[in-house]
Amino acid sequence: MNQALDIFRSSGYYFSRNPVFLNSSRNSPAFLLHKQNFPLEHLAAPLFEKYRRLVCSKRAVNSKPFIPTESNSLRVEAEACDGADFSAVPHVQTLREFPKEELSEKVVMVRFDSRLLFQQLQERKIQCENAVSTIKYLHEAGAKVILVSSWDADAENTMKIVRAESIAGALSSVLQVKVVPVKLVTRHMHSAKQESNILLLENLFQFKEEPANCKGFARLLSSGVDIFVNDAFSQSHRVLASTVAISRFCYASIAGFHFEAVLSQLKNITKTSQKPYVAIIGGGNLVEKAAALRLLVCICDGLVFVGNIAFQIMHALGLPLPMKLVEHGATEEALTLINSMKSRRRAVIVPKDFLCLNNLNPEKLEIFSADCLVDGWQPVDLGPESLEEIASLVSKCKKILWIGPVRFGLSRSDAGEASRLGAVVDRLRSQNNLETILVGKVACTTVLGSNLNYSVIENASAVWEFLKGRSLPGLMALDRSYPFDIKWDGVYDDPTRPLVVDVGSGNGLFLFGMAKKRKDLNFLGLEINGKLVNRCLERVLQTGMKNGYIIRTNAASTFRSIISSYPGELVLVSIQCPNPDFNKPEHRWKMVQRSLIEAIADLLALGGKVFLQSDIEGVAIRMKSEFVKYGKGKIMVMDEPEDASCYQRQWLNENPFGVRSDWEQHVLDRGANMYRLLLSKPAIIAGSTCRG
């Protein structure tokens, strides 16, 4: 019985509104699918509602010039993938983008994936090169590297060595650099600043604070650390102290080479430029994966169900199955998926036959048709007709995603159908230049043989979470980067004019007031609040302003990548009235961070100024001290002017620009004080010019 609900035609891919089914009787699953009038309102309602809103927002902006921002980039990505929500994949700062000169003499902690490096030791070099390259790159750049991870012996005994001393020795042989094991205590962290060796902290597996995401444990872990590099993508779906909480205590949190590579592969799953695109879906637990499967229905042209999840689709189609193969509560979700596949005219394949094992005689194997499974026989693999049908479908594809194991229930080393399917995929990939993405350890092991030309993500859990539209905690903890190359000549009429940047520009009162007053300068606002940014962009479009603009972004991590591409000089940076609740020293998202200060110090033109002000004196003092501390000796507090009456103690009495921000105006209206300070990047540092 053929359970293909649609066919690919030789001219490409085609989905008929009234497909013809082979051997379709009135009781066949194919006939039942057309016979039953499944209510379409149950089809992924939240997904379609998002798509409706996205289409409306697209229509609303069609008449306006499009300039990429982080806010509208997510909309564009979502529209390209039929309404799916991809806000769970932010653009993060990577080691590749981080200035290499900033790594010298810095203490850098690398959260590495122990399994990858153990594969390197066993000559299973899947994705290992990037993981090794991260550590070598940091060491060669002059960083003081501290490695941290979790390891334990697994069921296959692939990691028999669990002592840190043994791990350190093994890593030394891989990295060709001396790796020294140390205990998790503060004094060993500080020793990294004096030693040229790479340090390896003890196994995190033994600390209960690690899976609890303990803030105190993360503070101890990061003691003395400047930069955190996450290179363990396999743990990104978990909330761990070594991947999430630790980012609170390091001035930069970035993705390593391996993390970046896997993230790129993750995004590639949702790209639909290669057609036809088919997903081979294995494993079980359909209810838990339902949201992810609805997304795959949206972006793929065909779906092949194998493994235990295939039984749930077959049961919903009306195929008689032993009830022990049916998951509790899965039928309703399976019917929803079937309706979705029907409405979108997707090609669907479920197994036609199975290789089954006799429960009483484990050595006995027989082939059973999918509609003739009987008690006493356990399906363990795909049958030959199923393999042939899958191969026929895959041969017409340009791209496939294989996620999850093929096997059903029990596993036998001498049952080779899964590996034969892997051989088929490998052969077709070579013949047809088939783009292949493998997800999950079993899928990778099944396919990978002599040929390693695949996109590989060994941890399926993180991918399933991504496909469900959920945020990955380990990813979200990293610093953001700006994802676009800005066309400055499309923003300003003269992009060579000197630039003024207002960090945290709010509703733009200061920004636009200055832009109106000084036509000889260009003004750029960097603001994290999307609603305020949209209002400001509306104003830019309505007024036709050619020397003012605003971008939605987190300036603490994207300032360097944005401003470094500007063709003119940066002459002034203003930071005004940051939220005091977000400016506590331990706050992860405080505005004035070391990374921002160092970027300003590097990019500010000689003679350029930094204007700081707050209505809370403690915040102003902290901003001043951090600029002095992290300004690399380039940023100095300007000396008192000849008219000392301009200062109230150490603060400026008046706003030196004559244009007030919205919060400044609010504070002054209620009769409160403002604490202002002007800093400079002098060409020559002299006692008569500046003071610390």
Side-chain angles (χ1 to χ4, degrees):
M1 184 180 295
N2 192 323
Q3 274 78 45
L5 303 188
D6 213 329
I7 59 173
F8 286 96
R9 296 192 173 178
S10 59
S11 59
Y13 66 95
Y14 176 79
F15 302 101
S16 169
R17 291 186 180 275
N18 298 292
V20 178
F21 302 99
L22 302 178
N23 303 326
S24 294
S25 67
R26 294 184 61 84
N27 294 321
S28 72
F31 181 84
L32 291 173
L33 179 61
H34 285 267
K35 179 181 178 181
Q36 299 182 35
N37 184 21
F38 294 131
L40 295 181
E41 61 267 25
H42 294 301
L43 289 176
L47 188 62
F48 290 123
E49 176 59 18
K50 289 176 184 176
Y51 183 59
R52 183 191 65 77
R53 292 198 302 268
L54 292 169
V55 171
C56 292
S57 64
K58 181 179 180 181
R59 290 172 180 167
V61 301
N62 272 346
S63 60
K64 302 174 182 178
F66 178 81
I67 301 175
T69 66
E70 286 184 315
S71 54
N72 61 31
S73 70
L74 296 179
R75 186 184 71 244
V76 172
E77 285 182 297
E79 289 171 352
C81 294
D82 205 8
D85 180 8
F86 295 104
S87 59
V89 190
H91 294 270
V92 296
Q93 188 72 259
T94 65
L95 179 59
R96 196 179 312 278
E97 299 168 343
F98 197 83
K100 189 172 183 178
E101 62 274 10
E102 295 297 321
L103 297 172
S104 180
E105 299 302 318
K106 297 292 196 307
V107 179
V108 181
M109 175 166 284
V110 180
R111 177 54 161 96
F112 71 97
D113 189 335
S114 58
R115 290 182 179 272
L116 289 179
L117 292 180
F118 279 111
Q119 288 173 357
Q120 175 82 9
L121 292 172
Q122 299 169 6
E123 297 184 353
R124 293 164 55 199
K125 299 183 180 180
I126 307 169
Q127 290 187 303
C128 299
E129 292 184 4
N130 283 327
V132 173
S133 297
T134 294
I135 302 171
K136 288 185 175 181
Y137 177 86
L138 291 167
H139 185 261
E140 292 170 359
K144 309 299 182 180
V145 181
I146 301 174
L147 303 179
V148 62
S149 189
S150 176
W151 61 87
D152 190 33
D154 61 17
E156 297 178 0
N157 293 318
T158 58
M159 292 187 294
K160 298 179 181 179
I161 47 178
V162 294
R163 291 176 56 85
E165 292 79 7
S166 300
I167 300 293
L171 291 176
S172 297
S173 65
V174 171
L175 300 170
Q176 297 299 303
V177 179
K178 179 68 173 178
V179 178
V180 179
V182 295
K183 295 293 184 180
L184 181 56
V185 289
T186 304
R187 64 176 180 273
H188 289 294
M189 293 294 190
H190 290 294
S191 68
K193 295 183 179 181
Q194 302 171 359
E195 297 288 342
S196 60
N197 298 324
I198 295 175
L199 302 186
L200 172 68
L201 293 187
E202 53 193 311
N203 190 357
L204 294 181
F205 182 80
Q206 60 187 321
F207 294 97
K208 62 181 180 181
E209 296 88 350
E210 162 73 346
N213 192 33
C214 176
K215 181 179 176 181
F217 180 72
R219 182 184 288 109
L220 174 63
L221 192 65
S222 62
S223 176
V225 174
D226 300 309
I227 301 170
F228 169 63
V229 176
N230 190 346
D231 218 24
F233 186 88
S234 63
Q235 302 300 315
S236 61
H237 63 296
R238 304 179 63 195
V239 183
L240 304 174
S242 65
T243 59
V244 178
I246 192 174
S247 63
R248 290 173 172 262
F249 307 103
C250 303
Y251 86 85
S253 298
I254 59 181
F257 295 142
H258 168 66
F259 196 107
E260 178 188 8
V262 180
L263 186 60
S264 177
Q265 294 165 5
L266 188 71
K267 294 178 181 179
N268 187 35
I269 291 175
T270 64
K271 293 180 180 178
T272 57
S273 56
Q274 295 282 359
K275 293 280 191 175
Y277 179 14
V278 166
I280 300 175
I281 305 167
N285 201 350
L286 182 143
V287 175
E288 176 63 25
K289 298 172 180 175
L293 295 174
R294 287 194 291 270
L295 175 58
L296 290 176
V297 170
C298 290
I299 64 178
C300 293
D301 303 305
L303 294 94
V304 177
F305 291 97
V306 296
N308 291 329
I309 203 167
F311 295 133
Q312 317 318 314
I313 303 297
M314 295 163 65
H315 177 69
L317 288 171
L319 200 68
L321 290 173
M323 289 307 297
K324 66 180 180 179
L325 300 178
V326 179
E327 297 174 3
H328 177 71
T331 303
E332 183 177 353
E333 289 290 356
L335 288 172
T336 299
L337 285 172
I338 290 170
N339 273 288
S340 182
M341 291 183 286
K342 174 186 175 183
S343 67
R344 292 174 178 272
R345 295 179 292 147
R346 299 307 194 219
V348 180
I349 289 180
V350 292
K352 296 172 63 177
D353 58 352
F354 295 95
L355 180 68
C356 296
L357 176 147
N358 189 290
N359 292 338
L360 298 179
N361 184 3
E363 299 301 321
K364 189 174 182 180
L365 294 170
E366 288 190 17
I367 303 295
F368 284 84
S369 174
D371 57 352
C372 297
L373 295 177
V374 296
D375 290 333
W377 290 85
Q378 171 67 45
V380 294
D381 233 321
L382 296 172
E385 290 188 54
S386 299
L387 285 170
E388 182 179 354
E389 187 175 33
I390 294 172
S392 176
L393 181 69
V394 171
S395 67
K396 300 176 177 66
C397 296
K398 294 296 183 182
K399 177 179 179 179
I400 68 167
L401 164 69
W402 186 338
I403 178 169
V406 175
R407 296 190 183 282
F408 306 83
L410 300 177
S411 175
R412 285 176 54 92
S413 59
D414 58 344
E417 299 296 333
S419 60
R420 285 204 290 261
L421 178 59
V424 168
V425 171
D426 186 58
R427 174 175 54 81
L428 293 174
R429 189 212 63 80
S430 301
Q431 292 177 354
N432 304 337
N433 195 26
L434 177 65
E435 181 181 355
T436 307
I437 306 171
L438 305 178
V439 177
K441 183 178 179 181
V442 175
C444 296
T445 304
T446 299
V447 177
L448 290 174
S450 59
N451 200 321
L452 300 181
N453 295 321
Y454 295 92
S455 295
V456 175
I457 308 176
E458 285 204 344
N459 188 286
S461 298
V463 177
W464 283 119
E465 291 298 295
F466 162 74
L467 293 175
K468 294 172 190 175
R470 297 176 183 173
S471 297
L472 302 179
L475 174 64
M476 301 303 292
L478 298 177
D479 294 338
R480 303 293 187 268
S481 66
Y482 195 67
F484 299 106
D485 293 328
I486 302 174
K487 304 299 183 184
W488 293 106
D489 56 355
V491 175
Y492 304 117
D493 56 355
D494 181 5
T496 63
R497 286 192 293 247
L499 180 67
V500 175
V501 177
D502 188 25
V503 178
S505 52
N507 63 18
L509 186 63
F510 174 80
L511 182 77
F512 296 128
M514 287 288 288
K516 184 177 180 180
K517 183 178 180 180
R518 294 292 302 271
K519 299 293 186 180
D520 58 323
L521 302 173
N522 286 334
F523 294 85
L524 178 66
L526 303 178
E527 171 59 48
I528 200 170
N529 187 313
K531 291 182 179 179
L532 295 180
V533 170
N534 291 337
R535 292 175 193 168
C536 291
L537 290 176
E538 289 286 346
R539 182 174 177 180
V540 170
L541 293 171
Q542 290 172 2
T543 62
M545 184 177 293
K546 297 299 183 181
N547 70 326
Y549 195 71
I550 187 169
I551 293 174
R552 181 187 177 186
T553 188
N554 177 11
S557 58
T558 64
F559 186 94
R560 186 185 297 273
S561 62
I562 293 174
I563 306 304
S564 61
S565 67
Y566 184 74
E569 287 190 330
L570 175 64
V571 296
L572 174 64
V573 177
S574 65
I575 304 176
Q576 305 182 54
C577 306
N579 189 324
D581 294 332
F582 285 5
N583 275 274
K584 297 176 182 178
E586 68 277 7
H587 201 286
R588 174 73 181 92
W589 301 114
K590 67 176 183 175
M591 183 187 296
V592 183
Q593 297 190 33
R594 179 176 175 178
S595 56
L596 173 62
I597 296 171
E598 290 190 347
I600 292 173
D602 290 339
L603 299 175
L604 191 65
L606 295 178
K609 304 293 190 295
V610 178
F611 178 54
L612 307 175
Q613 73 167 346
S614 175
D615 59 320
I616 299 176
E617 188 172 16
V619 172
I621 291 173
R622 186 180 302 121
M623 287 195 293
K624 172 191 172 183
S625 63
E626 291 191 351
F627 264 91
V628 171
K629 181 178 180 180
Y630 299 123
K632 303 180 176 182
K634 300 176 182 179
I635 304 295
M636 300 292 176
V637 179
M638 292 184 65
D639 201 3
E640 294 184 355
E642 295 181 2
D643 183 5
S645 64
C646 292
Y647 281 88
Q648 181 185 36
R649 295 169 52 193
Q650 60 177 319
W651 310 113
L652 288 168
N653 271 341
E654 299 293 336
N655 185 321
F657 306 106
V659 178
R660 295 172 177 173
S661 69
D662 54 328
W663 188 254
E664 179 184 10
Q665 185 64 57
H666 170 73
V667 171
L668 296 177
D669 286 346
R670 71 172 191 252
N673 293 326
M674 290 298 298
Y675 302 92
R676 310 180 182 93
L677 194 66
L678 200 59
L679 297 88
S680 176
K681 182 178 180 179
I684 301 176
I685 299 176
S688 61
T689 306
C690 309
R691 60 184 174 86

